[in-house]
């Protein structure tokens, strides 16, 4: 038995005796048959596919496996690929088999050890990077390193200027699309570099960079780097799974805290957030736009980037329509802390709107003195956000005190929901008439009242001629019998119209 390897459709190389993980290959597809056949020709002992659907069977898969002499297995749904890799490696080690012949000494997920092993194997200075050019690990070396490598390691990411050049010249398209080692020749003070994408099931996981350090790269460097990329795939899968799991645990702990049922002590133990200190919650809502940048899944990541750019410790949690942000690391002085929260809110509204082609509104929670009070800050952030969404206008960011009238109206409307109103009220009759005849008299009445009976202003709001509006107002009186000269009738109508609008928004 010669270890575990992840199937790469772009470079389907296997060694005799290996266990092949067919990540991303549908078990009942023709591709699965091709993978099994290739595994048999290479001498692989087994192929493991993803979870098989109950009751499904493919005779061709069974017969091909029999002919090829390859065992076909299926991953159970409750075990991730990363967990399966760990179990297989542990089992192989327990029975005396080398998990990866060329990088056998590296524990699964030990990216620093992996970088050192690849450096020894390939013969150069190594960095392992994620898809955003952030350094996951690097090899130790006694040789002098070039300036780019030094700055990359110190900053834990490739310098922005270098990333911009690679993006503009199409280097990243070549790297992620070629499926092979890319050579960057030496130039001026920069030594020769080799780089290869690490992939699993056709999905890029990261990249391995090798730079000449003190001596030229050996002739076998490219072939050795290809092998290293195959061996690295399980490590990067494990790293991604473990990191995602840790982030998810922190998010769920923070979510519970904001809902009033979590533990501040437990969250503090998992993060760098202290119990005592200034905190605030931001409620961010994105109204989908029509631009190509809109995608709801992007919102949490973009918000996290903005928080990091402002130097704040933050936990970002996805909620319906947006995110909640638990913001820490604020200034100890209350006014300065509030100003920091406001600046971040303005930055999120501006940057996020441009990035995702959507209208963004941000409710700012009140600054607290410790982590235990985070739920109260979330309550005020949600209230401020509801107030912003309940009214039209350019304002995108606010705290409760800045939209106090709208917040008070929301409280009144919420209270009125519990009151049983008579069925024969004028607005009720008007809404029933519109529903039966497909009319817009309710909208006419709303605009007329919102504009304080100013016919020119109301007609502009509706986009109709003033005479058309005057006719419609007469029809409103005729249909529902409302006394528009009665202050009580006007107030009740406005409250009922507000209730109807809020109900439509909740149901939409």
């Amino acid at each position: 038995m010669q270890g575990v390897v992840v199937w790469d459709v772009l470079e389907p190389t296997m060694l005799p005796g290996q266990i092949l993980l067919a990540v991303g290959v549908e078990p009942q597809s023709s591709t699965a048959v091709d993978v099994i056949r290739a595994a048999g020709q290479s001498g692989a002992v087994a192929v493991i596919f993803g979870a098989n659907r109950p009751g499904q069977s493919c005779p061709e898969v069974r017969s091909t496996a029999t002919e090829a002499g390859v065992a076909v297995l299926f991953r159970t749904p409750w075990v991730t690929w990363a967990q399966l890799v760990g179990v297989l490696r542990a089992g192989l080690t327990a029975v005396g088999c080398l998990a990866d012949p060329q990088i056998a000494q590296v524990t699964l997920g030990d990216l620093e050890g992996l970088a050192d092993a690849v450096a020894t194997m390939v013969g150069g200075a190594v960095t392992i990077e994620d898809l955003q050019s952030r350094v996951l690990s690097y090899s130790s070396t006694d040789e002098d390193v070039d300036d780019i490598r030094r700055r990359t390691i110190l900053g834990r990411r490739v310098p922005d200027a270098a990333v911009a050049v690679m993006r503009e010249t199409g280097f990243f398209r070549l790297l992620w699309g070629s499926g092979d080692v890319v050579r960057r020749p030496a130039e001026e003070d920069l030594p020769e570099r080799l780089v290869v994408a690490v992939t699993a099931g056709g999905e890029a996981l990261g990249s391995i960079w090798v730079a000449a350090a003190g001596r030229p790269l050996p002739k076998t460097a490219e072939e050795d780097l290809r092998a290293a990329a195959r061996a690295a795939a399980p490590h990067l899968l494990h790293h991604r799974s473990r990191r995602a799991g840790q982030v998810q645990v922190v998010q769920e702990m923070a979510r519970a805290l904001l809902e009033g049922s979590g533990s501040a002590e437990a969250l503090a133990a998992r993060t760098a957030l202290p119990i005592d200190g200034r905190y605030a919650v931001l409620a961010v809502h994105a109204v989908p736009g029509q631009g190509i940048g809109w995608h709801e899944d992007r919102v949490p990541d973009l918000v996290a980037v903005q928080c990091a750019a402002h130097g704040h410790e933050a936990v970002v949690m996805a909620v319906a329509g947006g995110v909640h942000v638990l913001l820490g690391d604020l200034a100890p002085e209350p006014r300065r802390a509030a100003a920091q929260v406001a600046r971040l809110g303005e930055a999120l509204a501006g940057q996020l709107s441009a990035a995702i082609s959507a209208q963004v509104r941000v409710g700012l929670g009140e600054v607290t003195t410790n982590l235990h009070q985070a739920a109260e800050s979330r309550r005020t952030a949600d209230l401020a956000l509801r107030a912003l969404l309940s009214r039209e206008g350019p304002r995108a960011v606010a705290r409760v005190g800045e939209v106090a009238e709208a917040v008070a109206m929301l409280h009144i409307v919420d209270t009125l929901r519990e009151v049983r109103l008579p069925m024969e009220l004028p607005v009720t009759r008007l809404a029933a008439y519109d529903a039966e005849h497909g009319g817009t008299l309710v909208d006419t009445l709303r605009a007329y009242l919102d504009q304080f009976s100013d016919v020119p202003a109301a007609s502009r709001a509706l986009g109709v001629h003033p005479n058309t509006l005057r006719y419609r107002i007469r029809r409103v009186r005729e249909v529902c019998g409302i006394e528009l000269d009665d202050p009580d009738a006007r107030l009740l109508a406005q409250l009922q119209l507000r209730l109807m609008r809020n109900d439509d928004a909740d149901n939409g």
Side-chain angles (χ1 to χ4, degrees):
M1 197 93 52
Q2 292 296 313
V4 181
V5 65
V6 177
W7 167 260
D8 186 346
V9 68
L10 298 176
E11 192 176 341
T13 303
M14 289 167 276
L15 297 176
Q18 286 185 322
I19 297 174
L20 180 66
L21 305 184
V23 179
V25 178
E26 173 60 43
Q28 310 302 332
S29 66
S30 59
T31 303
V33 173
D34 293 339
V35 171
I36 296 169
R37 189 173 291 120
Q41 292 169 354
S42 300
V45 297
V47 178
I48 303 179
F49 293 99
N52 195 25
R53 295 185 180 91
Q56 286 196 347
S57 176
C58 181
E60 191 176 1
V61 166
R62 184 185 298 274
S63 62
T64 303
T66 302
E67 293 171 6
V70 175
V72 173
L73 306 171
F74 299 96
R75 176 179 60 86
T76 54
W78 55 87
V79 176
T80 67
W81 283 112
Q83 291 169 333
L84 180 60
V85 170
V87 171
L88 289 171
R89 287 172 59 96
L92 291 171
T93 302
V95 297
C97 296
L98 296 179
D100 288 308
Q102 296 169 314
I103 312 180
Q105 73 276 22
V106 181
T107 303
L108 182 66
D110 178 9
L111 297 187
E112 297 294 344
L114 177 64
D116 284 334
V118 174
T120 301
M121 178 177 165
V122 179
V126 169
T127 57
I128 300 176
E129 300 172 9
D130 66 9
L131 300 179
Q132 286 74 46
S133 298
R134 294 176 298 213
V135 175
L136 301 177
S137 65
Y138 57 91
S139 63
S140 55
T141 178
D142 295 329
E143 305 290 344
D144 290 335
V145 296
D146 60 272
D147 183 57
I148 286 288
R149 176 176 168 82
R150 183 180 300 106
R151 286 192 290 146
T152 296
I153 290 173
L154 290 176
R156 300 298 296 184
R157 63 179 302 128
V158 179
D160 291 340
V163 171
V165 170
M166 289 188 286
R167 185 176 292 118
E168 291 169 4
T169 58
F171 173 78
F172 287 123
R173 287 195 299 274
L174 176 63
L175 172 62
W176 305 127
S178 70
D180 201 1
V181 173
V182 179
R183 181 181 293 271
R184 292 177 67 83
E187 52 180 293
E188 298 181 358
D189 295 333
L190 297 179
E192 177 187 20
R193 278 174 164 76
L194 299 179
V195 58
V196 66
V198 179
T199 63
E203 179 186 1
L205 304 173
S207 60
I208 302 176
W209 291 71
V210 181
R215 60 185 180 276
L217 292 172
K219 294 180 179 180
T220 60
E222 288 194 24
E223 186 57 39
D224 290 339
L225 186 55
R226 291 188 189 98
R230 292 192 293 272
H235 291 271
L236 293 194
L237 276 172
H238 179 79
H239 170 79
R240 186 174 67 175
S241 175
R242 184 175 59 183
R243 178 173 174 78
Q246 291 171 343
V247 170
Q248 186 175 6
V249 168
V250 168
Q251 288 173 337
E252 293 307 314
M253 293 174 74
R255 193 188 308 277
L257 182 66
L258 297 192
E259 292 173 352
S261 60
S263 165
E265 288 79 9
L267 181 60
R270 277 273 187 173
T271 64
L273 300 172
I275 294 292
D276 295 318
R278 301 286 177 183
Y279 289 92
V281 173
L282 287 75
V284 183
H285 181 86
V287 180
Q290 301 301 317
I292 59 173
W294 166 254
H295 198 296
E296 188 173 359
D297 291 344
R298 297 182 62 204
V299 175
D301 289 340
L302 291 171
V303 170
V305 168
Q306 282 294 320
C307 292
H310 281 73
H312 295 302
E313 292 286 343
V315 182
V316 180
M317 297 143 279
V319 296
V323 298
H324 277 144
V325 182
L326 174 59
L327 192 65
D329 196 26
L330 297 173
E333 202 275 317
R335 287 189 178 180
R336 282 188 58 206
Q340 288 177 316
V341 175
R343 279 196 298 273
L344 178 59
E346 295 289 350
L348 287 174
Q351 299 288 339
L352 209 56
S353 295
I356 64 176
S357 303
Q359 290 184 347
V360 175
R361 298 291 182 263
V362 183
L364 308 178
E366 298 302 314
V367 176
T368 71
T369 57
N370 59 62
L371 196 54
H372 291 287
Q373 300 168 339
E376 176 60 20
S377 182
R378 191 225 73 189
R379 186 188 68 81
T380 56
D382 284 346
L383 261 181
L385 178 60
R386 280 189 66 198
L388 287 169
L389 294 174
S390 71
R391 58 201 301 181
E392 297 179 357
R395 184 161 202 160
V397 181
R399 46 179 290 273
V400 165
E402 295 168 331
V403 284
E405 294 89 348
V407 169
M409 182 57 70
L410 287 172
H411 284 315
I412 292 171
V413 170
D414 287 344
T415 302
L416 284 176
R417 292 181 192 276
E418 308 302 321
V419 177
R420 293 191 61 181
L421 298 174
M423 294 298 296
E424 289 300 313
L425 289 174
V427 170
T428 305
R429 291 197 294 270
L430 194 64
Y433 179 88
D434 272 358
E436 182 178 351
H437 296 86
T440 58
L441 294 181
V442 169
D443 293 337
T444 298
L445 178 60
R446 180 181 287 117
Y448 185 71
L449 294 176
D450 285 349
Q451 299 299 331
F452 307 101
S453 304
D454 185 331
V455 171
S459 62
R460 285 194 299 272
L462 291 173
V464 300
H465 192 275
N467 288 339
T468 301
L469 181 73
R470 291 186 181 95
Y471 167 75
R472 291 182 181 178
I473 291 298
R474 287 197 299 271
R475 288 292 298 148
V476 167
R477 293 177 186 269
E478 293 169 1
V479 169
C480 70
I482 188 171
E483 295 291 342
L484 291 175
D485 296 329
D486 183 343
D488 289 344
R490 293 172 64 95
L491 175 60
L492 181 58
Q494 285 189 298
L495 288 173
Q496 198 173 358
L497 288 168
R498 183 66 62 90
L499 269 171
M500 291 168 58
R501 181 162 58 190
N502 286 9
D503 287 343
D504 289 343
D506 291 343
N507 294 331

